[in-house]
Amino acid sequence: MNIDYSVLKKYPLCDRCFGRLYGKLIRSSNFERGHALKLAKAIELEEDLRTALEKMNETSENPELKPIEPEKLEEIKELMYCIYKSGISGIKLDLIDNIEKYETKFKNEAEYEKNEDCDELCPWCKGIFEPENIETVAENVVNALSEYEFDSFLIGTKLPKRFKELEKEIETPFIESIRQEFGRELGKVVVPLVKRRVDKENPDIVVMVNPYNQKVTLQVNPVFIKGRYKKLVRGIPQSHWHCRSCKGKGCEKCNFTGKQYMTSVEEIIAEPFMEVMKGSSEALHGAGREDIDVRMLGNGRPFVIEIKEPKIRKVNLEELASKVNESGNVEIINVEYGVKKDVHFFKNEPHKKTYLAHVECEEKVSNEEVAELVKKLEDLTIDQRTPDRVSHRRADLVRVRKVYKAWPHMIDDHNFELKIFCDGGLYIKELINSDEGRTTPSVSELLNKKCICKFLDVLDVHDYEDAENI
């Protein structure tokens, strides 16, 4: 293969950086690889220059001999000088006549900087691999991590834009990014200091380092805790609602709380966890949601509480669950640590549900009519257009859902309870009242009576599909 040494004419890369251009070849450090490549080329160039000079002497004595091409000689001398300026001090500059010419050209065309001691800095690494720099960055990392509890971490390197552009300009098919090497070298110093393991797949904390200005930022990954919650009272939303009047800023209508409702399932669950884990914020992810005036009973609704940027990751989950349950409004069970995939599963996987609806009819209804209704509802396909009450925040679509089974319980001539096993996403209130014909068929349509859902409870969010288990 051909090694591109011409890059040294514009960028006098140090041995380490030149070796990094071919970092995927042979097992060696970048410094050793770069130094060896430069030495090999320097030896080759010196041999070529000596041969050329001898040939020049011969042609001066014998005009019949073909003279060496001046351009070829210039190229050899220029590259020798550039390799010398990139750190190979053993090159014999006395072989290069008129060296001032190459010094001037190099100063005019090459891109490099000098430090306070007037030593030329490599234009790519700028000395970031010097022990003093790595030790300072490592100290900054340790200080940043000191406030957090964690078992695993990963170091990432953030490059300023101009160094990204430089790397792109000089890259070869075998290049190793300077980000990778710096992260590896910094890790050798940091790991013994923090005594934590490196995890490339799912670290608790990602440490982002700018090696050029020694700045450190942390990406603290969230903790996920899953379980099932029961909402034991009506009148509480699942998540925090901003006041409709002030949009959360605080006004007289909301008593300057910024809230439409004083509390929520999310806030009741999150409060004890946030207090102990010291997160910056949180988010509740549920397998669906119930209306404010609907209770969530039975085995509860699957949920994941995501604690963002926690300073404490290991907590007594049973103790915190007990604090939640003391509220009397919300109860959580089966609490355990989860993973990010749980959020996707709970939010996106369909869950069949069982409801208990208190149905009130405008006209009298008989046992026989309700029994016939139950028969019609079994395995019944429902076409449900987005309910009018949620059309402002839901796409106007016709959704196809199914009722699998229903069980009745008569209360009086105008009221009965209906236990319904159905697809998730079926609006039960509209299944009963028809929503002005937007849901068809409906309980009102099947009974040919105007009916409303007076009360509604969710009895179960199923992890199974078998109606016989209900």
Side-chain angles (χ1 to χ4, degrees):
M1 64 174 290
N2 293 322
I3 304 296
D4 183 13
Y5 291 93
S6 64
V7 66
L8 297 174
K9 295 179 181 179
K10 184 176 182 181
Y11 301 110
L13 303 176
C14 67
D15 294 349
R16 183 179 218 127
C17 288
F18 190 69
R20 194 181 308 108
L21 292 177
Y22 304 92
K24 296 178 182 177
L25 300 176
I26 74 168
R27 291 181 181 274
S28 174
S29 71
N30 287 330
F31 175 85
E32 290 171 344
R33 186 184 300 104
H35 191 69
L37 287 172
K38 287 183 185 179
L39 278 179
K41 189 62 177 178
I43 292 171
E44 177 189 323
L45 290 172
E46 184 174 326
E47 180 185 8
D48 291 346
L49 182 56
R50 287 181 180 277
T51 301
L53 292 175
E54 289 174 3
K55 192 171 183 179
M56 284 181 62
N57 291 333
E58 291 174 3
T59 54
S60 64
E61 296 174 0
N62 185 356
E64 294 181 1
L65 294 175
K66 184 180 178 180
I68 190 169
E69 297 176 5
E71 296 82 4
K72 178 68 174 177
L73 193 60
E74 286 294 305
E75 185 180 338
I76 293 173
K77 293 178 180 178
E78 181 182 357
L79 188 51
M80 281 183 69
Y81 183 79
C82 290
I83 292 177
Y84 164 76
K85 293 298 289 184
S86 73
I88 303 300
S89 57
I91 287 180
K92 297 176 181 177
L93 296 180
D94 56 327
L95 294 174
I96 306 175
D97 59 337
N98 194 16
I99 195 169
E100 294 81 6
K101 169 185 173 181
Y102 303 102
E103 289 177 344
T104 302
K105 185 176 182 181
F106 184 82
K107 288 178 181 178
N108 291 337
E109 297 180 3
E111 297 185 15
Y112 66 98
E113 296 179 10
K114 293 185 176 183
N115 61 19
E116 295 177 355
D117 299 323
C118 295
D119 292 329
E120 292 163 4
L121 292 176
C122 171
W124 191 4
C125 72
K126 302 289 186 185
I128 62 173
F129 292 96
E130 291 298 322
E132 298 82 8
N133 186 66
I134 289 182
E135 287 171 9
T136 299
V137 175
E139 184 179 337
N140 293 344
V141 169
V142 172
N143 289 338
L145 290 171
S146 63
E147 296 183 19
Y148 294 87
E149 177 184 78
F150 65 101
D151 289 326
S152 62
F153 74 107
L154 181 66
I155 293 177
T157 306
K158 185 177 181 180
L159 298 182
K161 182 179 178 181
R162 63 187 178 120
F163 293 105
K164 288 183 183 177
E165 293 172 346
L166 170 60
E167 189 169 297
K168 183 67 177 175
E169 179 185 345
I170 64 178
E171 71 177 343
T172 72
F174 310 101
I175 191 173
E176 177 189 30
S177 173
I178 197 170
R179 292 195 304 269
Q180 291 175 275
E181 184 177 12
F182 188 83
R184 183 171 64 247
E185 295 303 311
L186 180 61
K188 293 176 184 177
V189 178
V190 171
V191 169
L193 295 175
V194 300
K195 296 179 174 63
R196 301 290 192 281
R197 61 185 172 85
V198 174
D199 186 342
K200 296 181 180 180
E201 299 297 325
N202 188 31
D204 292 337
I205 299 178
V206 177
V207 182
M208 294 304 300
V209 173
N210 183 332
Y212 294 92
N213 62 15
Q214 302 176 339
K215 288 186 178 179
V216 174
T217 56
L218 300 182
Q219 175 189 307
V220 183
N221 288 329
V223 170
F224 299 94
I225 297 162
K226 64 181 180 178
R228 301 179 83 99
Y229 78 78
K230 302 178 187 181
K231 191 176 82 175
L232 306 177
V233 298
R234 307 184 195 279
I236 300 177
Q238 186 188 69
S239 56
H240 170 93
W241 278 30
H242 285 316
C243 170
R244 292 191 184 98
S245 298
C246 65
K247 309 300 182 186
K249 295 178 182 178
C251 64
E252 290 185 5
K253 285 189 177 181
C254 65
N255 199 24
F256 298 97
T257 63
K259 297 180 180 182
Q260 185 69 26
Y261 300 92
M262 290 308 296
T263 190
S264 64
V265 172
E266 177 180 2
E267 291 168 279
I268 292 170
I269 294 175
E271 185 177 351
F273 286 91
M274 288 288 288
E275 183 180 349
V276 173
M277 301 177 81
K278 297 178 171 49
S280 61
S281 60
E282 49 75 26
L284 181 75
H285 310 282
R289 63 173 62 231
E290 65 283 338
D291 288 341
I292 294 169
D293 60 350
V294 175
R295 294 184 299 179
M296 178 66 239
L297 306 175
N299 289 327
R301 185 183 298 277
F303 76 93
V304 177
I305 186 79
E306 177 183 356
I307 307 298
K308 301 178 182 181
E309 298 182 317
K311 292 190 174 179
I312 304 297
R313 306 183 81 88
K314 297 177 182 178
V315 295
N316 187 322
L317 296 180
E318 291 185 6
E319 186 176 297
L320 293 177
S322 296
K323 289 186 177 181
V324 172
N325 298 345
E326 288 172 3
S327 70
N329 295 329
V330 175
E331 179 183 329
I332 59 175
I333 59 174
N334 303 336
V335 180
E336 59 183 312
Y337 283 103
V339 294
K340 191 173 184 178
K341 287 182 180 178
D342 292 325
V343 174
H344 180 274
F345 177 78
F346 287 159
K347 290 182 73 69
N348 298 296
E349 289 295 318
H351 291 79
K352 290 182 172 62
K353 294 169 185 173
T354 299
Y355 295 89
L356 182 64
H358 182 129
V359 181
E360 183 179 77
C361 301
E362 196 172 78
E363 303 173 31
K364 286 185 177 182
V365 61
S366 67
N367 286 340
E368 291 75 18
E369 287 176 306
V370 172
E372 186 63 25
L373 168 70
V374 168
K375 288 180 182 179
K376 291 178 180 179
L377 284 174
E378 187 164 347
D379 291 324
L380 183 64
T381 298
I382 309 295
D383 294 322
Q384 188 167 64
R385 188 175 176 186
T386 302
D388 184 63
R389 65 188 171 92
V390 298
S391 59
H392 63 286
R393 65 176 189 271
R394 294 279 192 273
D396 189 10
L397 302 170
V398 175
R399 299 170 177 84
V400 179
R401 296 291 187 267
K402 195 168 184 178
V403 174
Y404 296 97
K405 200 164 185 178
W407 299 263
H409 173 68
M410 293 300 298
I411 298 174
D412 57 37
D413 289 344
H414 289 271
N415 295 271
F416 64 93
E417 288 182 339
L418 198 59
K419 186 178 176 183
I420 304 168
F421 175 51
C422 61
D423 283 331
L426 178 62
Y427 292 91
I428 301 300
K429 294 175 182 177
E430 285 69 24
L431 174 67
I432 293 169
N433 65 33
S434 91
D435 194 25
E436 301 295 333
R438 295 167 74 93
T439 295
T440 183
S442 66
V443 169
S444 292
E445 180 182 339
L446 294 173
L447 285 175
N448 196 25
K449 302 175 190 292
K450 187 175 181 180
C451 304
I452 62 169
C453 180
K454 195 169 184 181
F455 301 110
L456 183 64
D457 293 327
V458 186
L459 297 185
D460 210 344
V461 179
H462 297 285
D463 294 328
Y464 52 84
E465 298 184 357
D466 187 1
E468 293 180 2
N469 287 320
I470 299 172

